[in-house]
Amino acid sequence: MDKQAYKKYCAEQLRAVFVAAKKGKTDDKLKHRSEGLLLAGELLGVIAKSEAFELIEQEHIAVFGETTAQRAERKNGLKALKAKSPDAYFDIPAIERRK
């Protein structure tokens, strides 16, 4: 397997992880397998750590429409809002909170 094929396979696995997460059906086995693929690629010198990070970000944006950092910030903001003002939190439509 060449470098491009390996990166493509990793991207497909990451996309599957993110699609499952978006549907609310996280698959820990698939997630850990994908993490292992990226780590193995780094250890074997097939992909650099920066390439793995870029791959994660690209697939995350493709599925969620935002970077991992943006999504984490938004989710933390919702968690803080829920703790501070549950009424304001529940005024946000559930479909919007779930994204």
Side-chain angles (χ1 to χ4, degrees):
M1 179 177 274
D2 67 348
K3 181 178 179 173
Q4 290 302 86
Y6 189 80
K7 284 177 68 173
K8 182 180 178 190
Y9 182 75
C10 288
E12 291 169 357
Q13 295 300 302
L14 286 167
R15 185 167 298 226
V17 169
F18 295 143
V19 166
K22 187 171 184 175
K23 290 180 180 177
K25 299 179 180 183
T26 57
D27 184 346
D28 288 338
K29 185 176 179 181
L30 182 59
K31 179 183 175 189
H32 297 309
R33 183 181 303 142
S34 299
E35 291 170 348
L37 282 169
L38 293 174
L39 182 59
E42 290 174 30
L43 293 173
L44 293 171
V46 177
I47 59 173
K49 189 171 189 138
S50 61
E51 289 177 309
F53 180 75
E54 288 175 25
L55 202 56
I56 292 168
E57 289 297 314
Q58 288 172 357
E59 292 305 316
H60 196 274
I61 290 170
V63 174
F64 292 105
E66 58 190 350
T67 65
T68 55
Q70 291 170 329
R71 184 165 182 249
E73 185 178 318
R74 184 179 53 76
K75 287 180 141 296
N76 288 336
L78 285 172
K79 187 184 281 185
L81 178 63
K82 186 176 182 181
K84 182 180 176 185
S85 176
D87 289 337
Y89 173 79
F90 288 110
D91 283 343
I92 300 170
I95 193 81
E96 291 296 318
R97 292 185 310 228
R98 187 167 179 245
K99 286 184 182 178

